[in-house]
Amino acid sequence: MATAINPRPRLLQHLILPLQLLLYIGLFSVCDLLVRWLHLPLPANVLGMVVLLLLIVLRVLPLGWVRAGANWLLAEMLLFFIPAVVAVVNYSDLLRSEGWRIFIVIAISTLLVLAVTSLVVDRLYRFEMARAARRQDMHE
């Protein structure tokens, strides 16, 4: 009965996440080689995200092929920040003397990101609503 509900073989279901992670690793490795070979002034992970976005938008790579890996990486994102938090302990003297300035910069930049994001979302929402209204007017 389980195969009638989900036609994928059980082994394939267990391999989807590792295969998607291998796809991400392979894409990063190729982009790293490109950055080194072409002497590009941007990190390989940024180039990799742009290439991945282009592959998805151009429908070369179906979204389903990367969705599980992306969800897992997002769910485990805190693990990737632990080394940065531990590194802060090494700079306790800097934090004692300049910590308030660092805190103000972080707070202001966070507020700016939130404000710009809300403005962009609001503009896009209004644009989509106007576009939907125009489509509805055309069909009437």
Side-chain angles (χ1 to χ4, degrees), residues 72-112:
W72 181 80
L73 287 171
L74 285 172
E76 302 300 329
M77 191 180 291
L78 183 60
L79 281 176
F80 301 114
F81 286 107
I82 288 174
V85 172
V86 171
V88 168
V89 174
N90 293 333
Y91 297 101
S92 59
D93 294 336
L94 176 68
L95 288 176
R96 275 191 223 107
S97 63
E98 303 293 331
W100 66 275
R101 290 182 181 162
I102 295 170
F103 176 76
I104 288 174
V105 167
I106 291 171
I108 290 173
S109 62
T110 300
L111 290 174
L112 286 173

Side-chain angles (χ1 to χ4, degrees), residues 24-138:
Y24 287 135
I25 292 168
L27 184 64
F28 172 77
S29 299
V30 168
C31 289
D32 188 42
L33 289 173
L34 277 174
V35 165
R36 290 181 194 186
W37 184 55
L38 298 174
H39 304 289
L40 297 175
L42 68 154
N45 55 352
V46 173
L47 180 63
M49 285 189 292
V50 170
V51 169
L52 183 62
L53 177 66
L54 286 174
L55 289 173
I56 291 171
V57 168
L58 297 174
R59 297 177 192 227
V60 174
L61 185 67
L63 188 57
W65 287 12
V66 294
R67 182 175 282 139
N71 288 338
W72 181 80
L73 287 171
L74 285 172
E76 302 300 329
M77 191 180 291
L78 183 60
L79 281 176
F80 301 114
F81 286 107
I82 288 174
V85 172
V86 171
V88 168
V89 174
N90 293 333
Y91 297 101
S92 59
D93 294 336
L94 176 68
L95 288 176
R96 275 191 223 107
S97 63
E98 303 293 331
W100 66 275
R101 290 182 181 162
I102 295 170
F103 176 76
I104 288 174
V105 167
I106 291 171
I108 290 173
S109 62
T110 300
L111 290 174
L112 286 173
V113 167
L114 288 172
V116 169
T117 302
S118 66
L119 287 172
V120 168
V121 168
D122 182 58
R123 297 291 171 132
L124 283 174
Y125 177 75
R126 290 177 189 215
F127 173 75
E128 287 294 326
M129 294 303 289
R131 196 169 111 186
R134 280 193 304 263
R135 280 187 190 161
Q136 190 172 5
D137 290 343
M138 289 176 60

Side-chain angles (χ1 to χ4, degrees), residues 9-22:
R10 201 167 201 64
L11 178 64
L12 185 61
Q13 283 182 330
H14 292 295
L15 290 177
I16 287 175
L17 182 63
L19 289 174
Q20 289 181 8
L21 293 176
L22 283 174

